Amino acid sequence: MTEDLYGVYGASGCGRGVMPLARKFFERHRLPLDRLVFIDDSPHQVEINGHAVLSYAEFLATPARDRYATLAIANASVRERLAARCVRDALLSWTVRAEVSEIYDDVVIGEGAIICAYVTLTSNIRIGKHFHANLYSYVEHDCNIGDFVTFAPGVKCNGNVEIGDHAYIGAGATIRQGQPGKPLRIGKGAIIGMGAVVTKDVAAHTTVVGNPARLIQKGTKHD
Ligand code: UDP
């Protein structure tokens, strides 16, 4: 019988970091490694780190029982566009999670998440679709995170925080704890700079940097 085919979509920095997690999944389930490939719309090489790089058309044309893809591209808008394409073509969303990550009680995560090594998600947390939690990030209790949110490595998201769709949290940023019933809110599409210490709400589609984080760019969209 034809085997399933699995793709890590994006063959650049993010994808190359995710592929080893995907490979561990294959090793755990004793799946044949030649069924694990990169997908890229602008492939520059035919093979990277031992895995074939296929164009999206080639991925669809390869005989398979089911096709799975995880979207390993940091840009949220690109992820959203590719997610729609994958749904249209009946690809199955694939959540990839490092063995050395911790997920505690009552954590609900939408499809297609990437949970990298040394990530901890504690308790009573809601997370939307296609979340990226990069190396050493954590999400503390009672947080609510939207769709296509991206955490660069080492993000510290403390308890009672709400993060809107498409927000990007830079490497090493720390988000102060909110309160029950009065969460600290980071609006849709906000960008939190590397190493920022966020002590108060951040408006949608704005950029903040520094400690304490201050506004450097006002939003252009209105929600
Ligand atoms: N890419 C793609 N389809 C798209 C947009 C991007 O296949 O619609 C690929 C692109 O060719 C590149 C990768 O995704 O190989 C994104 O790489 P980049 O270094 O920009 O970002 P990162 O890997 O850090 O997310």
Side-chain angles (χ1 to χ4, degrees):
M1 192 202 302
T2 315
E3 309 267 1
D4 293 336
L5 183 65
Y6 287 77
V8 172
Y9 208 145
S12 188
C14 182
R16 280 181 286 121
V18 170
M19 182 56 91
L21 310 182
R23 195 162 55 238
K24 285 206 167 166
F25 169 86
F26 261 59
E27 287 162 2
R28 269 200 313 279
H29 294 276
R30 298 180 192 283
L31 297 170
L33 276 172
D34 63 341
R35 304 299 287 178
L36 175 60
V37 301
F38 286 104
I39 309 166
D40 203 286
D41 293 311
S42 311
H44 296 295
Q45 292 165 261
V46 292
E47 189 185 293
I48 296 178
N49 296 341
H51 297 274
V53 183
L54 305 186
S55 68
Y56 186 65
E58 288 168 337
F59 186 75
L60 291 185
T62 303
R65 185 172 49 190
D66 283 316
R67 290 185 187 75
Y68 293 81
T70 192
L71 304 178
I73 295 175
N75 183 300
S77 302
V78 172
R79 286 213 296 286
E80 184 165 38
R81 180 166 51 74
L82 296 182
R85 172 190 283 182
C86 291
V87 167
R88 183 196 67 199
D89 295 324
L91 303 194
L92 300 168
S93 221
W94 183 24
T95 292
V96 175
R97 177 184 165 192
E99 284 170 2
V100 287
S101 59
E102 298 278 359
I103 300 182
Y104 298 161
D105 291 337
D106 185 32
V107 176
V108 180
I109 311 178
E111 63 184 30
I114 293 175
I115 310 291
C116 294
Y118 308 108
V119 165
T120 302
L121 311 175
T122 68
S123 299
N124 308 100
I125 295 167
R126 298 288 175 269
I127 300 176
K129 296 186 283 188
H130 297 284
F131 177 54
H132 277 196
N134 227 303
L135 302 168
Y136 293 99
S137 292
Y138 72 73
V139 179
E140 255 285 15
H141 62 88
D142 301 302
C143 286
N144 219 319
I145 295 178
D147 295 332
F148 301 100
V149 170
T150 308
F151 280 17
V155 168
K156 301 178 181 72
C157 177
N158 290 298
N160 292 110
V161 167
E162 244 179 58
I163 302 182
D165 299 344
H166 285 240
Y168 179 88
I169 319 295
T174 302
I175 306 171
R176 182 184 189 167
Q177 177 163 335
Q179 293 165 27
K182 193 175 179 299
L184 186 148
R185 289 201 168 92
I186 294 180
K188 280 186 184 182
I191 297 174
I192 310 299
M194 183 169 60
V197 177
V198 178
T199 56
K200 55 185 189 194
D201 290 359
V202 175
H205 306 294
T206 61
T207 300
V208 299
V209 298
N211 176 10
R214 64 186 193 287
L215 184 69
I216 58 163
Q217 195 181 318
K218 286 200 171 151
T220 50
K221 293 188 186 172
H222 301 282
D223 293 296

